[in-house]
Amino acid sequence: MRTADVDFAFFGLPAYGEDTTLIRELDQLPRRCLPANAFLCGNDMICGWAGSLLCRDGISIVAGTGSICYGERNGSIARCGGWGELFSDEVRPIGLHAAD
């Protein structure tokens, strides 16, 4: 595939938006191969939601070694979790074991 064949791309980057000092730098990475108006960067949880629900209203929950929840409804966005094991990651196997 050539970059000329790409009309638009979304880059789902882990932790995107969680450290505002890195957003500008992360937004610049795709400019190495795409024009500025041909891409958008966001958190990788959006890719999970988009892929599982085909960008329709609903909630996507990921619970594995960590946990995160992301949803959209009528243009509103909500997110919870995904902050890591030091803060609010109750679904981690460690948390489940401790709850036994």
Side-chain angles (χ1 to χ4, degrees):
M1 175 180 272
R2 299 173 304 147
T3 56
D5 297 329
V6 177
D7 292 327
F8 192 83
F10 180 83
F11 292 86
L13 307 171
Y16 182 91
E18 295 169 19
D19 183 347
T20 56
T21 62
L22 295 176
I23 291 175
R24 175 172 267 157
E25 186 177 339
L26 292 172
D27 282 340
Q28 298 300 318
L29 291 175
R31 288 191 182 186
R32 295 178 184 171
C33 59
L34 293 172
N37 62 347
F39 70 89
L40 180 66
C41 294
N43 195 286
D44 60 346
M45 68 187 164
I46 299 171
C47 294
W49 165 81
S52 64
L53 296 167
L54 302 174
C55 297
R56 287 182 261 160
D57 286 353
I59 299 170
S60 175
I61 300 172
V62 177
T65 55
S67 63
I68 192 162
C69 179
Y70 176 85
E72 294 192 16
R73 182 173 183 207
N74 297 328
S76 295
I77 297 170
R79 171 218 171 137
C80 66
W83 306 113
E85 66 274 2
L86 298 177
F87 179 75
S88 183
D89 207 0
E90 295 85 359
V91 178
R92 289 177 54 90
I94 294 168
L96 293 175
H97 177 71
D100 289 342

